[in-house]
PDB file of all heavy atoms in Angstrom:
ATOM      1  N   LEU A 469     200.145  13.296 -95.956  1.00  0.00           N
ATOM      2  CA  LEU A 469     199.994  11.972 -96.543  1.00  0.00           C
ATOM      3  C   LEU A 469     198.536  11.573 -96.714  1.00  0.00           C
ATOM      4  O   LEU A 469     198.258  10.527 -97.289  1.00  0.00           O
ATOM      5  CB  LEU A 469     200.703  10.926 -95.665  1.00  0.00           C
ATOM      6  CG  LEU A 469     202.210  11.145 -95.467  1.00  0.00           C
ATOM      7  CD1 LEU A 469     202.760  10.077 -94.536  1.00  0.00           C
ATOM      8  CD2 LEU A 469     202.933  11.107 -96.797  1.00  0.00           C
ATOM      9  N   GLN A 473     198.575   6.468 -95.659  1.00  0.00           N
ATOM     10  CA  GLN A 473     199.156   5.602 -94.639  1.00  0.00           C
ATOM     11  C   GLN A 473     198.678   6.021 -93.262  1.00  0.00           C
ATOM     12  O   GLN A 473     198.311   7.173 -93.032  1.00  0.00           O
ATOM     13  CB  GLN A 473     200.680   5.613 -94.701  1.00  0.00           C
ATOM     14  CG  GLN A 473     201.347   6.919 -94.318  1.00  0.00           C
ATOM     15  CD  GLN A 473     202.864   6.829 -94.437  1.00  0.00           C
ATOM     16  OE1 GLN A 473     203.382   6.451 -95.492  1.00  0.00           O
ATOM     17  NE2 GLN A 473     203.571   7.153 -93.374  1.00  0.00           N
ATOM     18  N   ARG A 474     198.726   5.076 -92.334  1.00  0.00           N
ATOM     19  CA  ARG A 474     198.186   5.277 -90.982  1.00  0.00           C
ATOM     20  C   ARG A 474     199.143   6.070 -90.101  1.00  0.00           C
ATOM     21  O   ARG A 474     198.724   6.968 -89.371  1.00  0.00           O
ATOM     22  CB  ARG A 474     197.898   3.898 -90.354  1.00  0.00           C
ATOM     23  CG  ARG A 474     197.660   3.901 -88.855  1.00  0.00           C
ATOM     24  CD  ARG A 474     196.354   4.581 -88.496  1.00  0.00           C
ATOM     25  NE  ARG A 474     196.091   4.508 -87.079  1.00  0.00           N
ATOM     26  CZ  ARG A 474     196.590   5.321 -86.165  1.00  0.00           C
ATOM     27  NH1 ARG A 474     197.397   6.287 -86.538  1.00  0.00           N
ATOM     28  NH2 ARG A 474     196.282   5.185 -84.898  1.00  0.00           N
ATOM     29  N   LEU A 475     200.426   5.753 -90.141  1.00  0.00           N
ATOM     30  CA  LEU A 475     201.391   6.365 -89.244  1.00  0.00           C
ATOM     31  C   LEU A 475     202.073   7.563 -89.899  1.00  0.00           C
ATOM     32  O   LEU A 475     202.222   7.622 -91.120  1.00  0.00           O
ATOM     33  CB  LEU A 475     202.450   5.338 -88.823  1.00  0.00           C
ATOM     34  CG  LEU A 475     201.934   4.090 -88.103  1.00  0.00           C
ATOM     35  CD1 LEU A 475     203.077   3.140 -87.801  1.00  0.00           C
ATOM     36  CD2 LEU A 475     201.189   4.463 -86.829  1.00  0.00           C
ATOM     37  N   PHE A 476     202.491   8.498 -89.076  1.00  0.00           N
ATOM     38  CA  PHE A 476     203.214   9.657 -89.575  1.00  0.00           C
ATOM     39  C   PHE A 476     204.604   9.240 -90.055  1.00  0.00           C
ATOM     40  O   PHE A 476     205.238   8.354 -89.471  1.00  0.00           O
ATOM     41  CB  PHE A 476     203.347  10.715 -88.480  1.00  0.00           C
ATOM     42  CG  PHE A 476     202.052  11.368 -88.103  1.00  0.00           C
ATOM     43  CD1 PHE A 476     201.343  10.953 -86.985  1.00  0.00           C
ATOM     44  CD2 PHE A 476     201.537  12.395 -88.865  1.00  0.00           C
ATOM     45  CE1 PHE A 476     200.147  11.543 -86.627  1.00  0.00           C
ATOM     46  CE2 PHE A 476     200.334  13.007 -88.522  1.00  0.00           C
ATOM     47  CZ  PHE A 476     199.631  12.573 -87.405  1.00  0.00           C
ATOM     48  N   SER A 477     205.062   9.872 -91.113  1.00  0.00           N
ATOM     49  CA  SER A 477     206.380   9.555 -91.657  1.00  0.00           C
ATOM     50  C   SER A 477     207.468  10.215 -90.813  1.00  0.00           C
ATOM     51  O   SER A 477     207.204  11.079 -89.972  1.00  0.00           O
ATOM     52  CB  SER A 477     206.480  10.049 -93.096  1.00  0.00           C
ATOM     53  OG  SER A 477     206.452  11.471 -93.135  1.00  0.00           O
ATOM     54  N   GLN A 480     207.464  13.926 -91.429  1.00  0.00           N
ATOM     55  CA  GLN A 480     206.403  14.604 -90.688  1.00  0.00           C
ATOM     56  C   GLN A 480     206.754  14.732 -89.200  1.00  0.00           C
ATOM     57  O   GLN A 480     206.571  15.783 -88.591  1.00  0.00           O
ATOM     58  CB  GLN A 480     205.085  13.841 -90.842  1.00  0.00           C
ATOM     59  CG  GLN A 480     204.461  13.962 -92.224  1.00  0.00           C
ATOM     60  CD  GLN A 480     203.190  13.150 -92.313  1.00  0.00           C
ATOM     61  OE1 GLN A 480     203.159  11.984 -91.923  1.00  0.00           O
ATOM     62  NE2 GLN A 480     202.126  13.751 -92.818  1.00  0.00           N
ATOM     63  N   HIS A 507     197.190  11.785 -83.523  1.00  0.00           N
ATOM     64  CA  HIS A 507     196.165  12.102 -84.518  1.00  0.00           C
ATOM     65  C   HIS A 507     195.028  12.871 -83.842  1.00  0.00           C
ATOM     66  O   HIS A 507     194.380  12.351 -82.924  1.00  0.00           O
ATOM     67  CB  HIS A 507     195.591  10.817 -85.125  1.00  0.00           C
ATOM     68  CG  HIS A 507     196.376  10.279 -86.276  1.00  0.00           C
ATOM     69  ND1 HIS A 507     197.416   9.399 -86.111  1.00  0.00           N
ATOM     70  CD2 HIS A 507     196.274  10.510 -87.611  1.00  0.00           C
ATOM     71  CE1 HIS A 507     197.915   9.094 -87.293  1.00  0.00           C
ATOM     72  NE2 HIS A 507     197.253   9.750 -88.223  1.00  0.00           N
ATOM     73  N   THR A 517     196.389  11.694 -92.129  1.00  0.00           N
ATOM     74  CA  THR A 517     197.734  11.750 -91.560  1.00  0.00           C
ATOM     75  C   THR A 517     198.432  12.985 -92.113  1.00  0.00           C
ATOM     76  O   THR A 517     199.350  12.908 -92.933  1.00  0.00           O
ATOM     77  CB  THR A 517     198.516  10.454 -91.897  1.00  0.00           C
ATOM     78  OG1 THR A 517     197.740   9.331 -91.505  1.00  0.00           O
ATOM     79  CG2 THR A 517     199.843  10.414 -91.172  1.00  0.00           C
TER      80      THR A 517
END
Side-chain angles (χ1 to χ4, degrees):
L469 300 178
Q473 68 181 53
R474 166 69 176 83
L475 301 178
F476 291 99
S477 67
Q480 288 178 312
H507 274 89
T517 307

